[in-house]
């Protein structure tokens, strides 16, 4: 029974478990359906979020696109009908142009660019840009031409004045268009380039005429009558004409070929020449001082207006200040890099604005050099100052000045070479005494003027080289002239001219010529001694021969006290020779020597007293030598010369006073 009961309980348990499993299966089927529905709801929620996010992004993108491609109607009206002749209209057009440029250059996704609306809007902006660009170019083209004509008419009405007219007013009127020129450069470069050419073509004609008239007036101030038919045609043509066969003009310019061998000292130091050279120094400084600000102002304006050194925009404050000023001031670069990085484009444009400036200036340099060779020294100093003071060595003006400086340096070298050639070609006069040679005398005038010209200049080294070359040639030619001179003894020519060179160099105190000064002094002293000995010669001929024989005997080994025992040199012979030279005869001989000296020497150098004292010392030296030989070879003989040293001194003094 218990087993059966157990079996029944197990059966009941199995049935209960099956019932529970059925319920669980039922619940599981219900939950499975709920799970499927939840997963569907989850997927739908993700899709909704994605759609909302995409809608938001699309809205933002469209808003950004609309903002980038939307222009206010007032800006479009300014582009179409804005007044480009008034400050307010220019400001409105500038603002509208920048907004239009920003729309055309908007950073839009490539895919959005394919949208029909975007393409249509871009085409619309392009049409506005083209129309405004043409309108702006037409206005500026007329403005450039008008300004050139107005400036030309103003120049023709003005009373001629020795200065270059400034273009500040023209620059002031064009400055408000600087930002529009930048817009045009970025939007239509070909149109911008064409406008630049129009500007340079119109202004270059005006600058050429102004510079030609300015340099022509400089020529007038230098005393040469200008050719009225060529006034304004250009100095280049005039320079070619001047270099032709015009003998009259060559005679006027004959001063330039006068050299250090000229007999006319006035060619180097007359008051008229000095005044003309001082005037030329002022004129060449005026020319360079006028050219520099005009060129720099124009270059500065071109850099800012045509944006040649980068995208430099004129800020509104500066523009308002310029519009309120009565006198326009040159624009100053906002950073030193703008000046430092001056490029080829700037020099190219300046070359187009001043196409003939270098040739005109070089023609004037050649003209001035032909007018007077000394002018090359003034130009060398002045041009060097302007080249060294240039702030930007790569600018158009600096390069042009440097090129002219090279030509001036060559002219200066040619001037010195001509002086050297003229010295070498100096002809010795066969009919007159030599005296101080012309090129020796004129060297002092030349050096004094050169020192005053080059005082404080960094180009003094060039002058020092020229000094050395000139002095070497002068020394060589003094020797040649002395050898070829027929009317004046060689020693006199050498003595006087080297003494003059020594005095000149001592006065000038030129450091590079110190060794030449010492050389001149030595040569002068050597020739003074040589002339003294040659002219003095043997004033007591027989006495000199007698004592020369005595000296020879002593030199051969004969004792001095035994010389008197030889027949030819006995005491009787000595007394006989001494009697032939009484006081009167000695004085007469010295007087003849003085007259010969007076005839040989020139009054200009004033060396007569120096030579006479030198002869006095030499003569006394000979007399003392004779007395010493008498005391050595004829002791206790009581034999003496008929005159004493004091007598000789009185002779020399009396002869000098009588003459």
């Amino acid at each position: 029974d218990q087993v059966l009961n157990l079996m029944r309980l197990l059966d009941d348990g199995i049935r209960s478990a099956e019932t529970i499993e059925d319920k669980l299966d039922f619940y599981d089927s219900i939950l499975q359906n709920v799970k499927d529905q939840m997963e569907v709801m989850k997927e739908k929620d993700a899709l909704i979020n994605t759609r909302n996010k995409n809608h938001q992004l699309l809205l933002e993108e469209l808003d950004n696109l609309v903002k980038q491609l939307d222009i206010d109607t007032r800006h479009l009206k300014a582009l179409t009908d804005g007044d480009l002749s008034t400050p307010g209209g220019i400001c409105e057009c500038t603002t509208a142009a920048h907004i239009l440029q920003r729309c055309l250059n908007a950073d839009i996704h490539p895919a959005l660019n394919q949208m029909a609306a975007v393409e249509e809007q871009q085409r619309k902006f392009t049409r506005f840009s083209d129309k405004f660009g043409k309108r702006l170019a037409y206005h500026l083209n007329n403005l450039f031409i008008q300004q050139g004509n107005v400036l030309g008419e103003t120049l023709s009405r003005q009373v001629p004045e020795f200065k270059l007219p400034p273009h500040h007013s023209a620059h002031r009127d064009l400055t408000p268009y600087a930002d529009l020129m930048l817009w045009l450069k970025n939007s239509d470069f070909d149109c911008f380039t064409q406008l630049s050419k129009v500007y340079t073509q119109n202004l270059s004609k005006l600058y050429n005429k102004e510079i030609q008239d300015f340099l022509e007036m400089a020529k007038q101030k230098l005393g040469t009558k200008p050719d009225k038919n060529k006034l304004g045609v250009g100095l280049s043509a005039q320079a070619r004409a001047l270099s032709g066969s015009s003998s009259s003009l060559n005679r006027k310019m004959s001063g330039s070929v006068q050299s250090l061998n000229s007999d006319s000292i006035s060619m180097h130091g007359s008051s008229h020449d000095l005044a003309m050279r001082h005037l030329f120094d002022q004129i060449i400084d005026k020319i360079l001082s006028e050219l520099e600000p005009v060129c720099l102002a124009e270059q500065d304006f071109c850099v800012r207006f045509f944006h040649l050194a980068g995208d430099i925009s004129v800020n509104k404050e500066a523009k308002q200040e310029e519009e309120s000023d009565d006198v326009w001031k040159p624009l100053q670069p906002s950073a030193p890099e703008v000046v430092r990085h001056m490029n080829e484009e700037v020099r190219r444009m300046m070359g187009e604005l001043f196409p003939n400036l270098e040739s005109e200036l070089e023609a004037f340099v050649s003209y001035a050099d032909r007018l007077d060779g000394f002018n090359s020294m003034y130009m060398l100093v002045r041009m060097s100052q302007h080249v060294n003071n240039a702030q930007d060595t790569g600018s158009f003006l600096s390069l042009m000045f440097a090129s002219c400086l090279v030509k001036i340096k060559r002219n200066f070298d040619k001037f010195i070479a001509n002086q050297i050639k003229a010295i070498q070609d100096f002809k010795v006069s066969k009919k007159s005494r030599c005296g101080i040679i012309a090129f020796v005398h004129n060297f002092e005038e030349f050096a004094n003027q050169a020192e005053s010209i080059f005082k404080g200049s960094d180009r003094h080294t060039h002058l020092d080289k020229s000094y050395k070359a000139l002095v070497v040639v002068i020394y060589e030619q003094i020797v040649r002239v002395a050898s070829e001179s027929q009317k004046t003894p060689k020693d006199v020519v050498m003595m006087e001219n080297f003494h003059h060179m020594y005095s000149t160099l001592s006065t000038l105190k030129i450091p590079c010529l110190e060794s030449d000064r010492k050389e001149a002094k030595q040569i002068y002293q050597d020739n003074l001694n040589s002339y003294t000995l040659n002219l003095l010669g043997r004033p007591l001929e027989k006495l000199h021969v007698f004592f020369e024989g005595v000296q020879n005997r002593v030199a051969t080994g004969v004792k001095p006290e035994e010389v008197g025992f030889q027949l030819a040199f006995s005491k009787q012979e000595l007394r006989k020779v001494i009697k032939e030279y009484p006081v009167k005869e000695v004085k007469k001989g010295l007087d003849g020597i003085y007259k010969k000296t007076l005839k040989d020497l020139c009054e200009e150098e004033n060396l007569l007293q120096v030579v006479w004292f030198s002869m006095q010392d030499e003569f006394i030296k000979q007399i003392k030598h004779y007395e010493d030989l008498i005391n050595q070879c004829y002791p206790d003989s009581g034999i003496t010369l008929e005159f004493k040293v004091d007598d000789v001194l009185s002779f020399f003094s009396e002869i000098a006073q009588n003459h």
Side-chain angles (χ1 to χ4, degrees):
D1 290 336
Q2 289 179 341
V3 171
L4 290 172
N5 289 334
L6 181 60
M7 292 299 292
R8 281 195 299 272
L9 289 172
L10 289 173
D11 289 338
D12 291 339
I14 291 172
R15 283 193 295 271
S16 297
E18 290 175 351
T19 301
I20 292 172
E21 287 179 355
D22 291 339
K23 288 182 178 182
L24 289 175
D25 290 339
F26 173 73
Y27 293 150
D28 186 60
S29 63
I30 294 174
L31 290 175
Q32 183 63 39
N33 186 31
V34 173
K35 178 181 178 183
D36 294 339
Q37 292 180 0
M38 291 298 294
E39 289 179 353
V40 171
M41 291 177 64
K42 181 179 179 181
E43 291 177 359
K44 288 182 178 181
D45 185 62
L47 290 174
I48 290 172
N49 289 336
T50 301
R51 183 184 63 184
N52 291 338
K53 183 178 180 181
N54 288 338
H55 285 171
Q56 183 64 31
L57 291 175
L58 178 59
L59 182 61
E60 292 176 357
E61 189 68 30
L62 290 175
D63 284 341
N64 183 49
L65 181 62
V66 170
K67 289 179 181 179
Q68 287 182 308
L69 299 180
D70 186 35
I71 299 180
D72 195 289
T73 54
R74 62 188 179 89
H75 295 314
L76 295 178
K77 183 174 179 58
L79 293 174
T80 306
D81 304 320
D83 189 358
L84 290 172
S85 59
T86 62
I90 295 172
C91 184
E92 290 177 359
C93 291
T94 302
T95 303
H98 284 313
I99 294 174
L100 178 62
Q101 188 68 29
R102 187 174 68 243
C103 292
L104 286 171
N105 296 333
D107 185 16
I108 302 175
H109 193 278
L112 296 180
N113 281 326
Q114 298 178 8
M115 294 176 63
V118 173
E119 292 178 350
E120 180 182 355
Q121 193 75 345
Q122 291 284 16
R123 287 194 296 269
K124 174 184 175 182
F125 291 157
T126 302
R127 288 194 299 270
F128 273 100
S129 178
D130 293 341
K131 290 181 180 179
F132 179 70
K134 292 178 181 179
R135 192 165 73 91
L136 175 63
Y138 178 78
H139 178 79
L140 290 176
N141 183 81
N142 292 339
L143 188 59
F144 292 160
I145 296 175
Q146 180 185 0
Q147 281 201 336
N149 295 334
V150 170
L151 289 173
E153 293 174 358
T154 304
L155 179 64
S156 62
R157 290 195 302 266
Q158 287 179 345
V159 178
E161 189 177 358
F162 189 47
K163 62 179 297 184
L164 283 173
H167 290 191
H168 292 167
S169 59
H171 294 164
R172 180 193 60 204
D173 294 340
L174 291 176
T175 299
Y177 297 96
D179 282 348
L180 288 176
M181 286 298 293
L182 176 59
W183 174 85
L184 190 62
K185 181 178 183 180
N186 294 329
S187 61
D188 191 347
F189 187 75
D190 292 338
C191 185
F192 172 83
T193 303
Q194 189 62 32
L195 269 181
S196 301
K197 291 181 180 178
V198 172
Y199 178 81
T200 55
Q201 288 172 359
N202 280 276
L203 267 293
S204 63
K205 296 176 184 177
L206 181 64
Y207 274 125
N208 281 344
K209 188 175 188 312
E210 290 175 350
I211 291 172
Q212 288 166 2
D213 292 348
F214 178 63
L215 294 179
E216 189 66 31
M217 191 173 295
K219 289 175 61 180
Q220 294 181 35
K221 288 185 174 294
L222 290 175
T224 302
K225 294 181 179 179
D227 187 348
K228 294 181 180 179
N229 295 326
K230 292 182 178 181
L231 187 59
V233 173
L235 287 178
S236 298
Q238 294 185 30
R240 290 191 293 270
L242 289 170
S243 62
S245 59
S246 175
S247 59
S248 61
L249 186 56
N250 287 337
R251 286 194 296 271
K252 290 179 183 178
M253 293 184 174
S254 60
S256 63
V257 298
Q258 293 292 337
S259 55
L260 291 178
N261 70 350
S262 172
D263 292 331
S264 175
I265 299 176
S266 64
M267 294 309 301
H268 296 280
S270 72
S271 58
H272 177 266
D273 286 334
L274 292 176
M276 288 302 297
R277 288 166 187 167
H278 180 66
L279 174 62
F280 176 79
D281 183 39
Q282 294 177 331
I283 288 177
I284 189 63
D285 186 49
K286 175 72 172 177
I287 290 174
L288 299 178
S289 299
E290 286 289 326
L291 286 174
E292 193 166 7
V294 169
C295 289
L296 291 179
E298 184 62 41
Q299 176 177 286
D300 190 56
F301 170 76
C302 289
V303 169
R304 299 296 302 276
F305 186 74
F306 293 98
H307 303 274
L308 301 179
D311 295 338
I312 308 170
S313 61
V314 181
N315 60 61
K316 295 181 180 179
E317 294 180 358
K319 184 161 60 178
Q320 291 172 357
E321 289 177 0
E322 291 161 1
E323 291 171 354
S324 63
D325 288 342
D326 293 333
V327 180
W328 183 84
K329 297 180 180 179
L331 292 169
Q332 297 298 325
S334 56
E337 290 78 7
V338 176
V339 178
R340 259 200 322 271
H341 296 90
M342 194 61 63
N343 53 25
E344 290 293 333
E345 189 176 1
V346 177
R347 290 193 290 270
R348 176 194 59 77
M349 188 165 192
M350 291 297 294
E352 293 175 357
L353 282 168
F354 300 92
N356 298 328
L357 177 57
E358 184 173 350
S359 61
E360 295 286 348
L361 194 56
E362 288 185 354
F364 182 81
V365 167
S366 300
Y367 164 79
D369 186 60
R370 289 193 301 274
L371 195 64
D372 187 351
F374 276 86
N375 290 341
S376 63
M377 292 194 282
Y378 287 102
M379 291 187 288
L380 182 63
V381 172
R382 291 298 184 184
M383 188 65 80
S384 298
Q385 290 175 352
H386 284 267
V387 170
N388 294 336
N389 294 335
Q391 296 180 353
D392 180 16
T393 56
S395 66
F396 165 79
L397 187 67
S398 296
L399 294 178
M400 189 269 293
F401 277 178
S403 177
C404 288
L405 181 60
V406 172
K407 181 177 178 61
I408 292 171
K409 177 62 170 63
R410 291 172 182 169
N411 289 345
F412 174 71
D413 293 340
K414 184 179 178 181
F415 172 65
I416 297 300
N418 290 338
Q419 299 295 321
I420 292 175
K421 181 67 167 56
I423 294 172
Q424 293 171 339
D425 294 340
F426 178 79
K427 302 298 182 182
V428 181
S429 175
K430 297 181 180 180
K431 297 181 180 180
S432 60
R433 290 186 299 168
C434 186
I436 302 301
I437 306 171
F439 58 76
V440 174
H441 198 300
N442 290 339
F443 175 77
E444 181 178 3
E445 300 290 341
F446 171 84
N448 282 326
Q449 291 188 47
E451 284 299 307
S452 65
I453 295 171
F454 281 83
K455 185 177 181 180
S457 173
D458 60 345
R459 288 284 175 174
H460 206 288
T461 53
H462 295 292
L463 183 61
D464 290 342
K465 293 178 182 178
S466 302
Y467 279 150
K468 295 292 291 184
L470 283 171
V471 169
V472 168
V473 174
I474 287 173
Y475 283 9
E476 293 174 352
Q477 296 308 307
I478 289 176
V479 176
R480 177 183 67 82
V481 172
S483 301
E484 296 177 2
S485 177
Q486 298 179 3
K487 294 290 184 178
T488 307
K490 178 181 179 181
D491 293 335
V492 173
V493 177
M494 296 280 287
M495 174 183 65
E496 290 181 330
N497 284 278
F498 276 101
H499 177 266
H500 192 89
M501 287 298 297
Y502 167 70
S503 300
T504 298
L505 297 180
S506 298
T507 303
L508 292 172
K509 297 180 181 180
I510 301 174
C512 69
L513 297 180
E514 180 61 25
S515 59
D516 299 284
R517 185 186 71 86
K518 294 179 180 178
E519 181 183 356
K521 181 180 180 181
Q522 185 62 46
I523 296 175
Y524 151 68
Q525 291 177 340
D526 292 344
N527 283 274
L528 173 61
N529 296 333
S530 175
Y531 176 69
T532 300
L533 293 175
N534 291 335
L535 185 60
L536 194 60
R538 298 175 178 179
L540 311 175
E541 178 70 24
K542 293 181 180 180
L543 196 62
H544 180 81
V545 172
F546 182 88
F547 282 109
E548 191 177 47
V550 172
Q551 259 186 312
N552 291 335
R553 291 295 183 276
V554 174
T556 56
V558 178
K559 293 182 178 179
E561 59 272 13
E562 296 178 357
V563 173
F565 296 106
Q566 297 188 12
L567 184 62
F569 302 102
S570 64
K571 296 178 181 178
Q572 292 79 6
E573 289 294 326
L574 176 59
R575 289 190 180 95
K576 183 179 178 180
V577 172
I578 289 176
K579 286 183 179 180
E580 294 188 16
Y581 294 101
V583 173
K584 183 178 180 180
E585 189 67 25
V586 173
K587 184 177 181 181
K588 181 179 179 181
L590 292 176
D591 188 69
I593 292 175
Y594 187 88
K595 292 179 179 179
K596 180 67 169 62
T597 305
L598 187 64
K599 181 180 179 181
D600 288 340
L601 300 180
C602 67
E603 296 180 3
E604 181 182 352
E605 201 59 22
N606 197 23
L607 288 178
L608 180 60
Q609 290 186 354
V610 176
V611 174
W612 191 239
F613 285 136
S614 177
M615 288 184 179
Q616 174 181 290
D617 293 341
E618 183 62 31
F619 190 79
I620 291 175
K621 189 187 299 181
Q622 290 184 11
I623 299 303
K624 289 182 177 180
H625 178 62
Y626 297 156
E627 291 178 346
D628 290 342
L629 286 176
I630 291 174
N631 293 330
Q632 290 179 11
C633 301
Y634 305 94
D636 303 326
S637 63
I639 300 175
T640 59
L641 298 175
E642 293 191 5
F643 52 88
K644 303 297 182 183
V645 172
D646 292 340
D647 297 329
V648 173
L649 290 174
S650 65
F651 295 160
F652 272 93
S653 177
E654 183 179 348
I655 291 172
Q657 291 177 1
N658 292 337
H659 289 81

